[in-house]
């Protein structure tokens, strides 16, 4: 997680799947297969099982309907890599040693997938780990290096070395997951599968298929949009959470660097334009043409409006830009969770599904 931390958290979905039953339908005759699904920085307000005032997520909602919907839960550590370390080790951060995103993970820790391996499980991980270490306890893995990229991402793999895959990261992670289930899963052995999305972590780049819809949408403003934190502690006021002051114009709001230069908007963070070039620069010519079809007109209208915009209008504009891109990435997560659930149902791996665990950091709602 980067310096700009919105008061949102981590979506964790734990689906426990039982593929075999005894004559008593409530008693499994073999160990359950387990699929752990995670999306990164996913606000509960962006899951329609909680509220559909922003977006519909019918596939994630399927898990809620089949299982449990947590309405009062917090995380041990809300920062990306330390949060994953607590999940994998079952230890608090001061015990597992992963106290921030930069401090290295202590590989002497025992992770729960290692214990599943010892218990006879086939194990696999696909997607975002963000440790800087290859995962322990997995028969197969393909993970993003660091935060990973939305388009044409690189992967660290167990058997192929470092590879680059053309396409959109949320789709690719799902393709890898389904391919493993179809081609590598051993039907006579229980499995633990970790299916870990990058989205909707910043900087938010929706899939090409969602650009037209989401760049045109307008979302309701929250009551706290212009909150001045009066009457509350210093930490809340000084946290880098303000959409107007702390978001990057290029990397986050997708204002082209040349437009920033023309308008005299400084690269205040020092990595604003670099974030744009790093992410948008990965697009191939066809992807970039689609991107420009929707984002260039937005840049052109912003260029004309910016000189006379009030601070309030800038905040409102940036809120809409944030929501459009953020929720656009959520849409792809929901679609791909649906692909996975459809596969499980079609292949009789959804006999029982229970537990929907949503963890979010404490703090203000959007």
């Amino acid at each position: 997680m980067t310096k700009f931390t919105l008061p949102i958290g981590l979506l964790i979905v734990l689906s426990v799947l039982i593929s075999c039953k005894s004559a008593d339908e409530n008693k499994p005759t073999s160990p359950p297969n387990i699929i752990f699904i995670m999306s990164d920085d996913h606000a509960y307000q962006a899951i329609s099982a909680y509220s559909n005032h922003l977006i519909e997520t019918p596939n994630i909602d399927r898990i809620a309907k089949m299982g449990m919907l947590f309405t009062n839960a917090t995380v041990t550590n809300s920062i990306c890599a330390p949060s994953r370390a607590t999940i994998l080790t079952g230890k608090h951060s001061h015990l597992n040693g992963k106290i921030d995103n930069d401090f290295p993970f202590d590989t002497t820790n025992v992770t729960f997938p290692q214990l599943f391996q010892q218990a006879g499980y086939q194990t696999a991980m696909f997607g975002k780990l963000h440790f800087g270490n290859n995962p322990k306890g997995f028969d197969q893995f393909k993970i993003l290096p660091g935060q990973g990229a939305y388009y044409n991402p690189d992967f660290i793999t167990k058997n192929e070395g470092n590879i680059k895959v053309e396409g959109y990261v949320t789709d690719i992670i799902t393709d890898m997951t389904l391919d493993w289930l179809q081609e590598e899963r051993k039907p006579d052995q229980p499995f633990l599968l970790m299916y870990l999305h990058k989205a909707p972590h910043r900087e938010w780049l929706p899939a090409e298929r969602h650009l037209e819809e989401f760049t045109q949408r307008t979302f309701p403003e929250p009551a706290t949009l212009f909150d001045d934190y009066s009457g509350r502690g210093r930490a809340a006021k000084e946290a880098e959470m303000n959409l107007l002051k702390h978001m990057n114009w290029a990397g986050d709001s997708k204002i082209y660097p040349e437009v920033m230069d023309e308008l005299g908007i400084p690269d205040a963070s020092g990595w604003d334009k670099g974030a744009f070039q790093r992410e948008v620069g990965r697009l191939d010519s066809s992807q970039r043409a689609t991107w420009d079809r929707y984002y260039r007109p937005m840049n052109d209208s912003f260029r004309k409006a910016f000189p006379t915009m009030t601070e309030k209008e800038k905040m409102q504009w940036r809120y809409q830009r944030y929501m459009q891109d953020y929720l656009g990435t959520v849409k792809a997560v929901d679609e791909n969770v649906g692909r996975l659930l459809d596969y499980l149902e079609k292949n009789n791996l959804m006999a029982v599904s229970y537990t929907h665990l949503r963890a979010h950091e404490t703090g203000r709602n959007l």
Side-chain angles (χ1 to χ4, degrees):
M1 187 175 292
T2 47
K3 288 167 44 180
F4 175 76
T5 308
L6 283 172
I8 58 180
L10 209 58
L11 165 73
I12 299 175
V13 180
L14 180 63
S15 297
V16 183
L17 311 165
I18 300 175
S19 57
C20 300
K21 292 184 178 181
S22 62
D24 182 345
E25 287 292 299
N26 295 316
K27 294 181 179 179
T29 58
S30 61
N33 298 318
I34 299 173
I35 299 182
F36 187 97
I37 308 174
M38 179 186 291
S39 54
D40 194 335
D41 278 356
H42 196 151
Y44 71 87
Q45 298 95 328
I47 302 172
S48 53
Y50 294 97
S51 171
N52 65 353
H53 76 290
L54 293 176
I55 191 172
E56 296 285 348
T57 54
N59 294 298
I60 295 174
D61 294 357
R62 288 162 65 183
I63 300 173
K65 291 175 182 176
M66 289 187 291
M68 296 166 59
L69 186 67
F70 279 33
T71 58
N72 186 20
T74 57
V75 295
T76 305
N77 191 318
S78 62
I79 304 301
C80 287
S83 180
R84 294 164 196 273
T86 62
I87 292 167
L88 286 170
T89 65
K91 298 178 182 179
H92 289 284
S93 298
H94 69 286
L95 295 176
N96 68 46
K98 185 63 176 169
I99 58 174
D100 58 27
N101 281 341
D102 297 321
F103 203 81
F105 178 66
D106 181 359
T107 56
T108 64
N109 281 296
V110 175
T111 64
F112 81 83
Q114 290 177 277
L115 302 179
F116 273 84
Q117 270 190 328
Q118 295 172 16
Y121 272 71
Q122 185 183 11
T123 58
M125 174 187 283
F126 302 100
K128 181 179 176 181
L129 178 62
H130 196 204
F131 268 9
N133 311 95
N134 288 350
K136 296 174 63 177
F138 290 95
D139 301 311
Q140 178 63 280
F141 64 80
K142 296 181 181 181
I143 60 171
L144 298 165
Q147 294 284 3
Y150 273 102
Y151 279 85
N152 309 320
D154 298 313
F155 283 87
I156 301 166
T157 73
K158 185 165 187 175
N159 299 322
E160 304 166 69
N162 296 341
I163 62 174
K164 181 177 180 179
V165 183
E166 301 297 317
Y168 188 67
V169 67
T170 310
D171 301 336
I172 294 167
I173 292 169
T174 307
D175 292 342
M176 291 174 170
T177 299
L178 295 177
D179 182 71
W180 182 85
L181 284 167
Q182 181 67 35
E183 303 297 335
E184 296 187 48
R185 181 179 70 87
K186 300 175 182 178
D188 60 347
Q189 189 176 0
F191 68 84
L192 165 67
L193 172 61
M194 299 193 75
Y195 170 59
L196 313 175
H197 285 295
K198 168 187 172 62
H201 195 286
R202 80 190 292 200
E203 290 81 13
W204 312 278
L205 275 68
E208 290 179 84
R209 62 185 179 275
H210 296 139
L211 294 180
E212 180 175 11
E213 174 187 356
F214 282 88
T215 57
Q216 305 304 314
R217 289 185 61 178
T218 300
F219 296 92
E221 295 178 1
T224 56
L225 184 59
F226 299 100
D227 194 347
D228 62 4
Y229 302 99
S230 60
R232 277 174 286 168
R234 175 180 173 182
K237 188 173 183 177
E238 294 185 358
E240 294 184 3
M241 298 182 183
N242 188 281
L243 296 177
L244 179 57
K245 297 178 181 178
H246 300 127
M247 286 181 69
N248 286 325
W249 284 98
D252 293 327
S253 296
K254 312 306 185 300
I255 295 301
Y256 291 2
E258 60 269 24
V259 176
M260 287 180 61
D261 292 340
E262 179 183 333
L263 297 174
I265 300 174
D267 187 337
S269 69
W271 49 275
D272 184 354
K273 295 177 183 177
F276 181 92
Q277 299 293 1
R278 183 178 64 250
E279 289 288 346
V280 179
R282 297 186 68 92
L283 275 61
D284 63 26
S285 58
S286 175
Q287 294 164 341
R288 184 61 192 260
T290 302
W291 182 269
D292 286 338
R293 188 182 310 150
Y294 300 103
Y295 285 92
R296 190 169 294 283
M298 179 271 289
N299 272 264
D300 291 341
S301 63
F302 177 79
R303 180 190 288 109
K304 296 176 183 177
F306 183 79
T308 60
M309 291 173 73
T310 65
E311 294 296 288
K312 179 180 178 179
E313 289 171 334
K314 291 175 185 176
M315 173 71 92
Q316 291 173 317
W317 185 90
R318 300 205 76 177
Y319 172 75
Q320 294 301 329
R321 278 276 55 251
Y322 161 60
M323 296 300 287
Q324 290 164 354
D325 289 347
Y326 177 88
L327 293 172
T329 67
V330 170
K331 180 72 171 182
V333 171
D334 185 70
E335 290 174 345
N336 279 281
V337 168
R339 291 176 62 200
L340 176 58
L341 296 180
D342 289 346
Y343 178 91
L344 297 173
E345 290 178 349
K346 181 179 179 180
N347 290 275
N348 198 31
L349 291 169
M350 193 76 85
V352 175
S353 179
Y354 61 94
T355 308
H356 177 200
L357 172 62
R358 188 260 314 153
H360 63 89
E361 71 180 272
T362 57
R364 295 185 305 109
N365 294 340
L366 282 174

